[in-house]
Amino acid sequence: MEVTERLVEWKVDNVCPDLLSFRDVKARAQRAMDTARGKRVIADYRLSNEVTYSDAVGQIHRVEQVIRAARTLVGVVQAGQDAATG
């Protein structure tokens, strides 16, 4: 939940201004996390709903998308830190 809230706020100006140009990556990660949360609620609490193999594969793809976005964003921050110290 905390990660989602930080993505919604996206206050990166003072942390790493380079992240400002990665709003599309942030938006994709946020959508994937929102969708994944909704699917998890169905799987965990809507016991009368069927969760298919396709649903499970979709969740895996969403997680992979979030991981790719996180790696991209962390890479941008690390590059900015390296440039500042190097």
Side-chain angles (χ1 to χ4, degrees):
M1 188 77 158
E2 178 71 23
V3 173
T4 304
E5 292 301 318
R6 289 186 181 264
L7 288 173
V8 168
E9 291 177 14
W10 198 245
K11 295 179 181 175
V12 297
D13 307 38
N14 295 329
V15 178
C16 180
D18 293 338
L19 285 175
L20 289 171
S21 62
F22 286 83
R23 289 181 194 269
D24 60 325
V25 173
K26 182 273 299 191
R28 283 194 304 271
Q30 184 180 343
R31 282 191 303 274
M33 290 175 70
D34 288 342
T35 301
R37 181 181 300 112
K39 297 291 185 178
R40 185 189 58 80
V41 166
I42 291 170
D44 289 353
Y45 303 110
R46 309 289 187 262
L47 301 180
S48 62
N49 289 26
E50 181 179 328
V51 177
T52 66
Y53 176 79
S54 177
D55 293 332
V57 170
Q59 282 292 77
I60 292 168
H61 289 298
R62 279 184 281 281
V63 169
E64 289 169 342
Q65 184 177 16
V66 170
I67 290 169
R68 280 191 308 273
R71 285 183 177 148
T72 297
L73 298 175
V74 167
V76 170
V77 171
Q78 287 176 339
Q81 290 172 345
D82 291 347
T85 59

